[in-house]
Amino acid sequence: MSGSERGDGEAESRPQYAVVLDYLPYGKSDDDRPRYQKQPIAYALGEERFRLVELTFDDDADVSIGDRIAIEPNSAREHIQRIRTVEYGDLSNGAVNELEYVVADIIDADEERFVTFYDDAQPITIRLHQLDLLPGIGKTLRNNILEQRKRQPFENFDDLQERVSGLHRPKEVLAERIIEELRDEDLKYKAFVRRSND
């Protein structure tokens, strides 16, 4: 694996996981090789950096949609022969259909990390704040969030929703933004999705 595909030193010391979005036991449908020459592949979403990957597996791998699989470091991998970063447009239809559910599950599983985004978000430019990137967050709502977090950090999504008037779906708002960042490679600012060389 090239250095550009690796994370920082801290990330290298603990396993990085991805969640399987789709599993194709006979490889891609547009692969014209005979079936016996095709290897099983899966599309998956990295939990830490929301990196979309295509995984090539050994023939005897036992993989299902929704499985959580170690992708880093190399020593933590099982039955994975190759990992390739892909774009949203490379995903199978099945993977696209699962993406929204998997993003929601990742947020649910690590609520503290995502609530912390609301606590720690910073200005990007003089006129643009990270909170402005979230769908439905305008100037008034952004200022309400900033005011409330000055008083004390948010404990969880329920606390956030109770304390910030008008913020009805804080978790879903994050999920919408993550999906938007995955779909649109040309977005100028990304708060959650990191390319492998970022």
Side-chain angles (χ1 to χ4, degrees):
M1 173 176 283
S2 70
S4 67
E5 289 187 57
R6 293 200 172 119
D8 56 29
E10 180 187 332
E12 286 295 305
S13 64
R14 60 186 166 80
Q16 301 289 304
Y17 291 90
V19 179
V20 175
L21 300 166
D22 195 12
Y23 181 61
L24 308 173
Y26 305 112
K28 296 180 191 175
S29 59
D30 60 358
D31 184 343
D32 294 333
R33 293 178 299 167
R35 181 184 267 187
Y36 72 88
Q37 290 182 346
K38 298 185 198 180
Q39 292 177 287
I41 67 161
Y43 293 104
L45 179 65
E47 293 178 337
E48 191 75 24
R49 296 154 54 109
F50 293 101
R51 173 183 164 206
L52 290 168
V53 292
E54 179 186 281
L55 308 173
T56 304
F57 287 95
D58 299 331
D59 289 331
D60 59 348
D62 181 18
V63 180
S64 299
I65 293 171
D67 284 355
R68 190 171 179 256
I69 295 177
I71 57 170
E72 299 294 343
N74 289 346
S75 59
R77 294 180 190 165
E78 291 184 26
H79 302 290
I80 298 175
Q81 292 186 1
R82 182 171 162 241
I83 295 181
R84 183 172 75 94
T85 299
V86 294
E87 309 294 343
Y88 180 87
D90 298 322
L91 297 177
S92 65
N93 288 337
V96 168
N97 292 336
E98 281 297 308
L99 194 57
E100 185 179 327
Y101 303 106
V102 169
V103 168
D105 287 346
I106 290 171
I107 293 171
D108 281 338
D110 198 358
E111 182 173 356
E112 183 181 347
R113 167 188 167 197
F114 293 98
V115 170
T116 297
F117 174 79
Y118 285 99
D119 283 323
D120 294 347
Q122 297 297 315
I124 298 170
T125 67
I126 293 171
R127 291 194 175 97
L128 185 68
H129 197 281
Q130 280 184 312
L131 292 170
D132 296 327
L133 301 178
L134 301 178
I137 305 270
K139 185 177 177 182
T140 302
L141 209 44
R142 178 199 67 208
N143 290 343
N144 286 347
I145 294 168
L146 295 175
E147 186 60 38
Q148 285 297 324
R149 78 182 196 184
K150 274 186 208 169
R151 295 176 186 178
Q152 74 178 62
F154 299 110
E155 292 178 20
N156 51 44
F157 286 124
D158 289 339
D159 180 40
L160 184 55
Q161 193 169 322
E162 284 171 22
R163 288 170 50 199
V164 179
S165 174
L167 184 60
H168 304 296
R169 303 175 314 118
K171 180 171 57 174
E172 291 80 0
V173 164
L174 293 180
E176 284 175 39
R177 178 63 193 189
I178 291 165
I179 298 285
E180 184 182 0
E181 290 185 14
L182 287 166
R183 276 193 191 126
D184 189 350
E185 278 300 301
D186 298 324
L187 277 180
K188 186 170 183 181
Y189 300 109
K190 294 197 175 189
F192 301 98
V193 176
R194 302 279 180 260
R195 291 190 178 89
S196 56
N197 58 355
D198 285 351

